[in-house]
Amino acid sequence: MMRADENKIESTSEGAPKDPGDSCPREDIIEDPVRDKCATPIDNRQPSAMKRRRDEDEREQLCCCEYINRHGQRSHVGACCCDCEDLDEACDRFFKREPQSPEAMSRVVTEISDRVRVPWFRGGARRVDLSVIPPLVLLPTLLHLSAFHFLVGLAVLITLPGLLLWYYYFTHRKKARTLFFLSLVLFSLGYMYYLFITKVVPRGGLGAVHVGTVTVGVLLTLLGLAITKRGPGVVKPKESNPVLRDQVGESQEAEPSRKNWCSVCRLVRPPRAGHCRICGLCVLRHDHHCVWIDSCVGRENHRSFLLTLVLFLFTSSYGIGLTLQSVCPEQIILTALFYCPGVYEEYSASLCFTCAWYCTLVTCGVFHLLLTQLLNISYNVTEREARAAVRERSARRALCGLAVDTGVHSRGLCANWAEFWTMSEERTSCHPGSEGDESRVKVSHFNTHPAFGVSSRPDDV
């Protein structure tokens, strides 16, 4: 009987909670690494804050070539080819002529993108997007190959636009964001300027004014691009009333035809705003998502985007003219692009001639984009609205099919351009008497108006 009581006392003492001063078995007690004793967290955000602070301290202690990989381990740039089981497995299957599974290839791409880094001074090595690398390698290689013979150049200049269009539609269909086109734009601009200074200028015939004009044009184009990249103007959550958001969310099943509610951003969009699936944001006066600048074009950067196109078009056209004048001095500029005898007898001259053709193709594309923008502004329609109107067959074609007139926001040529240059928040997006009565309400009253519509999915880009 006494032994049974002793066992009961022992089991009771084992099941009893221990003294907090001796140990910390409770889950709500965390260990303080500084004082080496336990303390109760004030709120649930403290552990995450401590983890974030610890990660920042670890990053500050990293040297320029070290980084924290996707597994949370400390690694070095020099060990980028070490201990890669996914890559080893893929190579083994390749040499054994076994099929590669999509999951394995996806793991290989993810691992490679995590290991391709460049040393950085603060916070360790930085990751490099793999889509930036192909233009840096393909553009110089293809241009130098095209300079050997005109048939090779013709094949490359025909194939290159097709490959770009294929890659554009491939990424656009998946709504994936890529830096390939922005890298191609920046590298093309820099590489063409480098060839102009090192190949065209030494041939003679060009003065300091010509070189200075091209240099200033390149710098202004880069400045305009930097200003455009500052942002298109995003619809912020604070602009949407939480009470109105709940009311609209409850009325989705009752009124599914309303179009101003974004189910992704969970807010009510102002008139003419749209959701970009690539950026994942609602953009004010959304025009389109431009892959060449890797950003949306909206109310805040539409004017700088247009100015960048004009600067690039002027600089490129002027540079092409100077290059053809230097390579084919006996020909007129317009005819020298199609007939320049003896240009392939010298490699330097043929390279300049090939680059002039490449710049001509790029300039034609930019001119088409600029012409589309000018026509859309003249009719006060965004590219997003024009595509939707053509898809729904609710607009008419103008100027031999080049322009799309929706007839909703247009107030005449001068008034449309005046509105474009003076875009602001406190203004109605539709003139009195137009059909779009939902978009006739001012943005300043938009947060409290109970009659704005909803949509079950965001708009396309």
Side-chain angles (χ1 to χ4, degrees), residues 94-407:
F94 174 77
F95 288 115
K96 293 179 181 179
R97 296 182 179 180
E98 297 179 357
Q100 301 283 352
S101 62
E103 294 79 7
M105 296 304 299
S106 177
R107 290 196 301 269
V108 170
V109 172
T110 304
E111 189 69 27
I112 293 177
S113 62
D114 183 58
R115 297 192 177 204
V116 177
R117 296 175 181 260
V118 292
W120 204 252
F121 299 101
R122 184 177 181 181
R126 297 293 182 88
R127 182 185 299 178
V128 178
D129 197 318
L130 295 180
S131 60
V132 178
I133 301 177
L136 308 182
V137 179
L138 292 178
L139 183 62
T141 303
L142 294 178
L143 289 179
H144 282 273
L145 286 177
S146 302
F148 283 104
H149 198 272
F150 77 96
L151 291 179
V152 180
L154 184 64
V156 169
L157 294 177
I158 292 177
T159 306
L160 187 60
L163 292 176
L164 291 178
L165 289 175
W166 171 82
Y167 186 74
Y168 167 75
Y169 284 111
F170 175 76
T171 55
H172 188 74
R173 183 178 57 192
K174 288 189 173 183
K175 304 298 181 185
R177 195 163 189 172
T178 176
L179 295 176
F180 176 85
F181 298 100
L182 178 61
S183 174
L184 181 62
V185 168
L186 294 177
F187 186 67
S188 297
L189 190 61
Y191 191 65
M192 292 301 104
Y193 180 75
Y194 167 76
L195 292 179
F196 177 80
I197 297 298
T198 58
K199 301 295 183 181
V200 179
V201 175
R203 298 179 65 88
L206 301 179
V209 177
H210 302 95
V211 179
T213 303
V214 174
T215 303
V216 171
V218 171
L219 294 178
L220 290 178
T221 303
L222 293 176
L223 179 61
L225 180 60
I227 296 175
T228 305
K229 287 285 293 178
R230 293 174 62 181
V234 179
V235 182
K236 299 179 181 180
K238 65 180 181 180
E239 297 179 1
S240 181
N241 194 334
V243 178
L244 174 61
R245 186 171 57 215
D246 297 337
Q247 294 176 356
V248 175
E250 294 175 357
S251 62
Q252 283 186 357
E253 297 180 359
E255 302 180 19
S257 62
R258 295 182 179 179
K259 301 178 181 180
N260 293 323
W261 170 257
C262 180
S263 59
V264 177
C265 300
R266 304 295 298 174
L267 50 79
V268 180
R269 293 191 298 258
R272 308 190 75 177
H275 183 86
C276 177
R277 294 186 180 182
I278 299 177
C279 297
L281 298 170
C282 285
V283 180
L284 296 170
R285 201 182 185 274
H286 188 207
D287 189 82
H288 70 288
H289 181 90
C290 183
V291 295
W292 300 105
I293 63 174
D294 188 39
S295 176
C296 281
V297 178
R299 189 191 67 190
E300 300 298 330
N301 64 348
H302 201 168
R303 289 162 291 192
S304 60
F305 175 75
L306 188 69
L307 183 60
T308 304
L309 295 180
V310 174
L311 291 172
F312 179 83
L313 193 64
F314 168 77
T315 306
S316 179
S317 302
Y318 189 70
I320 292 171
L322 294 178
T323 303
L324 294 177
Q325 182 182 354
S326 176
V327 175
C328 303
E330 299 179 357
Q331 299 289 331
I332 305 175
I333 295 178
L334 295 178
T335 59
L337 191 62
F338 300 95
Y339 180 72
C340 186
V343 70
Y344 283 92
E345 295 179 358
E346 184 183 355
Y347 183 78
S348 177
S350 62
L351 179 61
C352 296
F353 184 74
T354 304
C355 292
W357 257 107
Y358 172 74
C359 293
T360 302
L361 294 178
V362 175
T363 304
C364 291
V366 173
F367 177 76
H368 176 267
L369 179 59
L370 178 62
L371 180 62
T372 303
Q373 289 292 313
L374 294 177
L375 292 176
N376 288 343
I377 296 170
S378 300
Y379 285 92
N380 200 356
V381 60
T382 63
E383 184 66 21
R384 170 177 166 270
E385 294 169 349
R387 293 176 184 177
V390 172
R391 185 169 58 247
E392 298 172 359
R393 298 181 180 180
S394 59
R396 68 178 185 88
R397 292 282 187 173
L399 299 178
C400 301
L402 296 176
V404 177
D405 185 13
T406 59

Side-chain angles (χ1 to χ4, degrees), residues 272 380 409 411 415-423 427 429:
R272 308 190 75 177
N380 200 356
H409 306 285
R411 295 183 293 173
N416 292 339
W417 275 96
E419 180 180 344
F420 174 76
W421 291 112
T422 59
M423 287 186 292
R427 190 185 63 253
S429 65

